[in-house]
Amino acid sequence: MKYVVAWESRQNISEELIARGLQVFSKWTPSPNVTYREFLGRIDNSGGFAVVETDDPRGLARDASVFEPYFYVQIHPVLEVTEAAEVGGEAVQFRSSIG
């Protein structure tokens, strides 16, 4: 399954927490069952995004939990746009079939 992970710095984060977060990140390694395809930082330095694949969302939850003191994290399951369009088309057909 593919996910997009978005994170944003917590409000009122202190210089000490920023330094600690960078220290934690420098020692962190992703869960072995999670593959990070893209890791992107926002230009405004307030967060970022990752495109991730895993069949075990527990590993992804573990990775997000490591950074909980520093960031608000959102994890969104996603489909390739062609797959999403196909599902949407099937939904339209279903609704059309109902009188």
Side-chain angles (χ1 to χ4, degrees):
M1 182 85 196
K2 190 177 284 190
Y3 300 86
V4 171
V5 179
W7 63 91
E8 192 167 324
S9 298
R10 291 194 172 274
Q11 290 181 336
N12 304 320
I13 193 164
S14 66
E15 288 291 329
E16 293 87 335
L17 279 177
I18 292 169
R20 177 66 177 155
L22 289 169
Q23 181 184 32
V24 169
F25 182 72
S26 73
K27 302 294 183 190
W28 171 75
T29 56
S31 295
N33 56 352
V34 179
T35 302
Y36 284 75
R37 298 290 181 199
E38 290 188 68
F39 229 136
L40 307 165
R42 289 176 43 171
I43 291 173
D44 64 6
N45 205 31
S46 66
F49 306 92
V51 178
V52 178
E53 290 186 48
T54 185
D55 291 327
D56 182 5
R58 289 173 20 148
L60 186 52
R62 175 234 170 235
D63 289 350
S65 294
V66 168
F67 298 99
E68 184 272 332
Y70 319 108
F71 298 105
Y72 294 109
V73 178
Q74 295 181 332
I75 301 173
H76 306 277
V78 296
L79 295 170
E80 295 290 335
V81 72
T82 54
E83 294 174 309
E86 183 179 324
V87 169
E90 291 169 3
V92 167
Q93 288 178 346
F94 173 74
R95 289 190 301 268
S96 296
S97 73
I98 298 172

